């Protein structure tokens, strides 16, 4: 009986030792993987920083301005060209028959957005003096 | 006797039987007196173990001494990480990139002359004698060259000199080059901030952490967000550059300030420098004129004088001032540049930029009242912002009545332009003096530290006279009155002091604009140093002919970027109080 207990104890010991051993080596393996990934993310971060700096370098306003002056046929924005969404004209009258029929049946609610009357006049009443 | 041989069969076990088995049995014997061999075995085991550990320690101490020392020396020399600096929209203004530097361990280099020869062959800009001196020291670590290209790194690597190695370092780059040079400042090769916001970041504790040996990586650092808008900054710089060449000025500078938050949206001072290569950054000519230079602001100061007069209650918008003849004080006579020779109301004093009128106003308030008002407006003390560079205003040592009279129209007191701009912001934003900042913040944060310095009614009067100055044909600010933005403004021309006297043809011109004048959001400032009269200015070199139009160009280009909607109908009742008081010019 005691012998049997001994055998059980010893085999349990061996199994647990083997388990601990495998756990340890798994941990080592994963730790290595983590370190590798960390260094890879670090490298990626550095690469991103370089790319960001390069993007900003290529995207810097004075370079864009020089490039636009040289290659594009654009003119400086005039203040009269600026408008707000509320300044846009209303939707034109419906042309389609079905729409008109629906309207006659009273199924089509009004869609006209409120108009901003204060901004209707687009002809400037003030002028920038000559400089 | 007979059974004697059977007495103890175990004790009788013969000596040859004392084999391995019996030795093993000895080990497990529990009786103390018989367990000597067990003790000795254990002692032997421990002795062996300790000698192995001791040997390993000696081995480690002997072999790895060098590498750890190099590592320690390197970590104190290597450039630390710095946080990115971004503008108010998140565009990068300054960032770190990794660069490789070459170092040497003079102790481990066998043939120093050969090493010097090989290294200078690959890196031709190295000084051979300097390098030889460096390698002949007993140091464990010296830099050979900082921040080399990948190609140079490959070449040095191919030389295969023992004792020469590479270390990755952080290098500060400013992708926008000159665009925001004076705000950003720059960092040196060790990534320590030398000027501008870079130095401010260090003073906020970054350098202390590095000094204490904390190794900060870029990922731990939060980007610093500035109030600067890169697009506005560039547009301002571009327009000022054009203005500087057009009017052949020695220098020019400009700033855009948000009057409700105190944020500096753009700050340019020309000539400037490239922070990536700041060799001439400390040149006297390249100082930040907005923040570090102090100047007599000329007629711009008249706005302060008028505000003081109105706020005191001794004058109101309909008060009249005698400008029929020059104002005599002792042997001095104060005259007007645009002389009117009649009695003027307060708005007229402002738009005709009458020296006599403003001097009379200041005299009415008195020297002490004048001083107290300017101190309240922050004009007599150093203005501290995030930028470490600042300047003390130049105040007359003995401030008498004559000083008060000249300071009333902007001569005799030199302040930093940013300081004057802060005061103008307070005059138009409802009377709150908000200290300018270079970091992004919102209105609530600004209100916490703001001071109510003048009454809101006075502020409305100031907005009114500034707008009148731009809209009335007699005003001097018409050149900047861009249609649709309801601009108000004030010119300022100060004669420069050359050899102790005011020069007649060397001017320092300023222009301050407020946009839009009925509900101000931004103030614009342009200063020009010695602009020349050119074709088309009819021989004039005063502010209305140079700083004014340049500011107009800036407003025209920048206002859409700042999101100010243009209005082509003038606002219905921009200044209700002024029209109620029936002020000059409302009809």
């Amino acid at each position: 009986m005691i012998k049997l207990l001994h055998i059980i104890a010893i085999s349990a010991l061996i199994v647990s030792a083997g388990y601990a051993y495998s756990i340890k080596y798994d941990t080592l393996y994963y730790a290595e993987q983590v370190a590798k990934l960390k260094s890879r993310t670090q490298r990626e971060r550095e690469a991103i920083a370089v790319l960001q700096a390069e993007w900003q370098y290529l995207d810097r306003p004075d370079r864009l301005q020089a490039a636009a002056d040289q290659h594009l046929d654009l003119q400086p924005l005039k203040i009269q060209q600026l408008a707000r969404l509320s300044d846009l004209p209303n939707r034109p009258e419906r042309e389609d028959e079905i729409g008109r029929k629906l309207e006659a049946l009273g199924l089509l609610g009004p869609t006209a957005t409120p108009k901003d009357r204060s901004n209707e006049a687009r002809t400037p009443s003030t002028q920038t003096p000559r400089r | 006797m007979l059974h004697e041989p059977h007495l103890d069969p175990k004790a009788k076990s013969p000596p040859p039987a004392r084999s391995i088995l019996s030795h093993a049995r000895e080990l497990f014997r529990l009786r103390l007196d018989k367990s000597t061999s067990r003790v000795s075995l254990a002692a032997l085991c421990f002795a062996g173990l300790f000698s192995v550990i001791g040997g390993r320690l000696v081995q480690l101490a002997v072999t790895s001494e060098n590498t750890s020392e190099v590592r320690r020396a390197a970590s104190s020399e290597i450039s630390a990480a710095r946080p990115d600096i971004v503008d108010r929209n998140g565009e990068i203004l300054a960032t770190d990139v990794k660069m490789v530097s070459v170092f040497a361990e003079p102790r481990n280099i066998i043939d120093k002359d050969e090493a010097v020869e090989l290294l200078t062959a690959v890196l031709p800009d190295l000084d051979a004698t300097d390098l030889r001196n460096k390698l002949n020291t007993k140091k464990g670590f010296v830099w050979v060259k900082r921040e080399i290209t990948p190609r140079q790194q490959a070449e040095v690597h191919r030389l295969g000199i023992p004792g020469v190695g590479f270390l990755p370092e952080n290098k500060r780059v400013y992708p926008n080059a000159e665009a925001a040079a004076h705000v950003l400042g720059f960092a040196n090769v060790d990534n320590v901030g030398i000027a501008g916001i870079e130095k401010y970041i260090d003073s906020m504790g970054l350098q202390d952490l590095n000094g204490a040996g904390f190794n900060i990586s870029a990922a731990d650092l939060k980007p610093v967000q500035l109030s600067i808008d890169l697009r506005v900054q560039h547009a301002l710089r571009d327009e000022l550059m054009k203005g500087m060449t057009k009017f052949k000025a020695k220098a020019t500078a400009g700033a855009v300030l948000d009057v409700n938050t105190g944020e500096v949206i753009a700050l340019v001072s020309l000539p400037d420098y490239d922070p990536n290569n700041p060799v001439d950054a400390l040149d006297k000519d390249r100082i930040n004129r907005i923040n570090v230079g102090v100047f007599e602001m000329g007629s711009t100061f008249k706005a302060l004088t008028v505000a003081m007069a109105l706020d005191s209650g001794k004058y109101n918008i309909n008060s009249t001032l005698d400008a029929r003849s020059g104002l005599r004080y002792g042997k001095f006579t104060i005259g007007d540049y645009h002389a009117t020779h009649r009695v003027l109301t307060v708005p007229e004093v402002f738009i005709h930029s009458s020296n006599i009128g403003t001097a009379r106003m200041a005299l009415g308030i008195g020297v002490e009242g004048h001083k107290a008002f300017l101190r309240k407006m922050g004009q007599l003390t150093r203005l501290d912002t995030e930028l470490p560079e600042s300047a003390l205003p130049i105040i007359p040592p003995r401030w008498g009545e004559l000083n008060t009279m000249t300071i009333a129209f902007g001569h005799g007191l030199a302040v930093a332009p940013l300081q004057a701009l802060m005061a103008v912001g307070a005059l138009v934003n409802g009377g709150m003096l908000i200290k300018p900042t270079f970091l992004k913040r919102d209105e609530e944060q600004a209100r916490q530290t703001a001071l109510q310095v003048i009454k809101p009614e006075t502020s409305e009067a100031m907005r009114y006279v500034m707008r009148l100055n731009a809209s009335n044909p007699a005003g001097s600010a018409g050149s900047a009155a861009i249609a649709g933005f309801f601009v108000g403004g004030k010119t300022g021309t100060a004669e420069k002091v050359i050899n102790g006297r005011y020069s007649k043809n060397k001017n320092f011109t300023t222009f301050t604009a407020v946009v839009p004048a009925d509900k101000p959001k931004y103030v614009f400032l342009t200063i020009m140093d010695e602009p020349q009269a050119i074709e088309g200015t009819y021989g004039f070199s005063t502010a209305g002919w140079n700083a004014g139009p340049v500011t107009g160009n800036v407003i025209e280009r920048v206002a859409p970027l700042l999101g100010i909607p243009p209005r082509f109908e003038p606002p219905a009742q921009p200044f209700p109080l002024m029209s109620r008081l029936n002020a000059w010019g409302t009809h």
Side-chain angles (χ1 to χ4, degrees):
Chain A
M1 186 61 198
I2 288 179
K3 226 171 209 172
L4 184 68
L5 275 179
H6 280 178
I7 289 167
I8 289 170
I10 288 166
S11 54
L13 182 75
I14 290 168
V15 168
S16 68
Y19 181 66
Y21 181 85
S22 71
I23 285 275
K24 183 175 158 57
Y25 275 82
D26 276 359
T27 321
L28 276 183
Y29 172 74
Y30 286 122
E32 215 166 85
Q33 292 293 313
V34 167
K36 261 187 203 160
L37 279 178
K38 263 189 188 156
S39 77
R40 251 177 63 192
T41 48
Q42 187 56 37
R43 267 209 303 280
E44 288 292 322
R45 267 206 205 103
E46 279 158 22
I48 288 169
V50 170
L51 288 175
Q52 262 178 349
E54 195 174 340
W55 167 248
Q56 188 56 51
Y57 177 73
L58 295 173
D59 198 33
R60 67 189 193 277
D62 49 338
R63 178 178 174 274
L64 290 190
Q65 187 180 338
D69 284 348
Q70 197 183 341
H71 300 295
L72 296 179
D73 225 8
L74 298 178
Q75 285 185 349
L77 182 80
K78 287 212 176 58
I79 291 161
Q80 282 76 9
Q81 289 170 308
L82 291 174
R84 273 177 296 184
L85 215 55
S86 58
D87 297 342
L88 294 179
N90 280 334
R91 187 184 293 205
E93 285 295 305
R94 278 183 176 275
E95 294 292 313
D96 60 327
E97 294 227 326
I98 301 168
R100 241 178 287 155
K101 268 178 198 160
L102 282 172
E103 209 165 0
L105 287 169
L107 294 174
L108 198 74
T111 50
T113 44
K115 213 170 174 182
D116 187 358
R117 295 212 171 268
S118 65
N119 281 303
E120 237 173 346
R122 296 298 302 167
T123 40
S125 62
T126 50
Q127 279 290 330
T128 305
R130 282 171 62 84
R131 271 170 289 146
Chain B
M1 289 298 275
L2 245 176
H3 58 264
E4 207 182 320
H6 305 279
L7 195 71
D8 190 2
K10 270 182 196 155
K12 231 189 115 190
S13 53
R18 285 178 67 93
S19 57
I20 304 160
L21 199 72
S22 67
H23 272 294
R25 198 173 294 146
E26 284 281 288
L27 283 179
F28 292 98
R29 209 182 280 276
L30 289 175
R31 281 182 56 188
L32 199 64
D33 54 330
K34 302 269 184 171
S35 61
T36 43
S37 74
R38 185 165 35 155
V39 172
S40 59
L41 184 72
L44 198 72
C45 285
F46 275 102
L49 201 64
F50 276 111
S51 60
V52 165
I53 292 172
R56 176 71 183 144
L57 276 178
V58 169
Q59 188 197 359
L60 281 177
V62 168
T63 53
S64 65
E65 183 203 19
N66 267 340
T67 54
S68 69
E69 190 186 323
V70 166
R71 205 151 285 278
R72 193 147 23 88
S75 71
S76 68
E77 297 259 347
I78 209 163
S79 297
R82 301 182 64 81
D84 286 359
I85 301 179
V86 297
D87 83 340
R88 63 185 301 116
N89 305 316
E91 301 279 346
I92 289 179
L93 298 177
T95 187
D96 275 347
V97 294
K98 281 272 190 273
M99 293 283 263
V100 174
S101 293
V102 197
F103 71 93
E105 302 162 63
R107 250 186 262 166
N108 294 352
I109 297 178
I110 304 149
D111 188 345
K112 283 172 187 169
D113 290 323
E114 192 203 5
V116 170
E117 220 163 274
L118 289 172
L119 283 172
T120 45
V122 172
L123 308 166
D125 47 340
L126 276 182
D127 183 20
T129 43
D130 187 41
L131 182 62
R132 188 167 290 120
N133 289 342
K134 262 199 254 176
L135 292 189
N136 279 330
T137 53
K138 284 267 171 273
K139 280 190 195 158
F141 179 94
V142 291
W143 286 119
V144 175
K145 188 166 172 16
R146 309 287 286 271
E147 288 153 9
I148 59 169
T149 62
R151 194 198 160 101
Q152 284 174 321
Q153 185 192 2
E155 282 176 345
V156 173
H157 184 73
R158 211 178 301 135
L159 295 178
I161 310 168
V164 172
F166 305 101
L167 271 177
E169 275 198 292
N170 294 307
K171 177 175 165 53
R172 200 65 166 161
V173 290
Y174 304 90
N176 301 299
E178 290 96 346
H182 279 110
V183 179
L184 293 175
F186 54 92
N188 67 3
V189 73
D190 289 320
N191 255 13
V192 176
I194 298 295
I197 287 290
E198 293 280 21
K199 192 170 178 186
Y200 165 76
I201 292 171
D202 280 1
S203 70
M204 294 309 280
L206 179 70
Q207 224 45 45
D208 299 342
L209 282 179
N210 279 328
F214 287 97
N215 197 4
I216 307 168
S217 71
D220 307 335
L221 297 165
K222 255 176 58 184
V224 177
Q225 190 161 37
L226 301 189
S227 61
I228 298 290
D229 187 322
L230 180 61
R231 303 165 304 166
V232 179
Q233 178 78 22
H234 165 72
L236 179 61
R237 184 171 183 275
D238 196 48
E239 290 301 333
L240 289 180
M241 196 78 108
K242 282 184 204 158
M244 190 160 124
T245 21
K246 186 172 171 193
F247 297 103
K248 304 187 187 76
K250 264 169 67 180
T252 172
V256 182
L257 183 76
D258 185 320
V259 292
N260 299 315
T261 64
E263 291 170 292
V264 179
I265 305 294
L267 187 158
V268 176
S269 174
L270 297 172
D272 53 8
Y273 58 90
D274 183 355
N276 291 306
N277 183 23
V279 276
D280 43 24
L282 301 176
D283 209 13
K284 199 166 159 278
D285 196 36
R286 288 166 204 271
I287 59 161
N288 181 352
R289 284 178 165 73
I290 294 291
N291 208 26
V292 186
V294 289
F295 305 99
E296 293 180 312
M297 294 298 285
S299 311
T300 308
F301 249 62
K302 284 176 187 153
L304 287 173
T305 312
V306 170
M308 170 179 73
L310 294 177
D311 205 52
S312 69
K314 288 185 185 165
Y315 297 85
N316 63 43
I317 197 78
N318 295 321
S319 301
T320 52
L321 294 126
D322 185 0
R324 279 176 296 194
S325 57
L327 179 58
R328 293 189 68 81
Y329 186 87
K331 56 179 175 152
F332 299 99
T333 306
I334 291 166
D336 277 348
Y337 186 77
H338 312 280
T340 47
H341 302 297
R342 59 189 172 88
V343 176
L344 302 172
T345 59
V346 170
E348 283 178 294
V349 166
F350 192 81
I351 68 168
H352 291 295
S353 202
S354 167
N355 294 344
I356 304 167
T358 42
R360 281 194 196 282
M361 281 184 203
L363 277 183
I365 302 299
V367 174
E368 285 315 309
H370 193 198
K371 260 198 221 177
F373 182 78
L374 290 180
R375 179 161 297 121
K376 190 165 69 171
M377 299 303 288
Q379 302 301 299
L380 303 185
T381 46
R382 185 189 291 271
L383 172 67
D384 287 314
T385 58
E386 286 82 12
L387 296 189
E389 305 89 3
S390 64
L392 201 61
I394 301 173
I395 306 166
R398 282 174 46 242
W399 187 321
E401 279 201 324
L402 183 62
N403 299 94
T404 277
M405 284 158 74
T406 59
I407 290 169
F409 53 85
H411 284 74
L413 174 68
V415 298
L418 187 61
Q419 211 161 4
L421 193 62
M422 165 180 82
V424 173
L427 295 186
V428 296
N429 74 357
M432 304 285 272
L433 186 73
I434 302 167
K435 206 167 92 170
T437 178
F438 289 88
L439 301 178
K440 195 177 178 180
R441 70 173 172 199
D442 53 34
E443 224 167 293
E444 264 126 65
Q445 285 167 296
R447 294 254 172 237
Q448 283 167 8
T449 52
L451 268 177
Q452 186 80 37
V453 283
I454 58 168
K455 297 180 202 119
E457 297 79 45
T458 313
S459 176
E460 192 195 310
M462 291 317 297
R463 294 200 294 268
Y464 169 69
V465 291
M466 285 183 88
R467 172 61 193 161
L468 194 65
N469 197 26
S471 61
N472 193 290
S476 55
S479 55
I482 304 301
F485 291 119
F486 209 62
V487 181
K490 181 80 194 93
T491 52
T493 306
E495 286 162 0
K496 279 183 75 172
V497 178
I498 310 280
N499 299 329
R501 34 178 63 239
Y502 285 108
S503 159
K504 279 278 159 241
N505 48 10
K506 294 217 163 89
N507 284 338
F508 179 83
T509 64
T510 65
F511 192 89
T512 323
V514 42
V515 179
D518 59 328
K519 222 173 169 202
K521 280 179 84 80
Y522 299 98
V523 282
F524 291 73
L525 173 75
T526 304
I527 62 177
M528 296 188 110
D529 194 356
E530 287 186 29
Q532 310 290 315
I534 58 157
E535 210 177 315
T537 67
Y538 311 101
F540 291 107
S541 62
T542 48
W545 293 100
N546 41 58
V550 170
T551 313
N553 293 343
V554 172
I555 293 172
E556 193 168 23
R557 188 160 162 191
V558 158
L561 292 177
L562 291 172
I564 307 172
R567 291 171 297 181
F568 294 101
E569 289 300 314
Q573 266 287 4
F575 309 107
L577 187 67
M578 291 303 115
S579 26
R580 191 135 39 82
L581 290 174
N582 207 4
W584 185 91
T586 41
H587 300 293

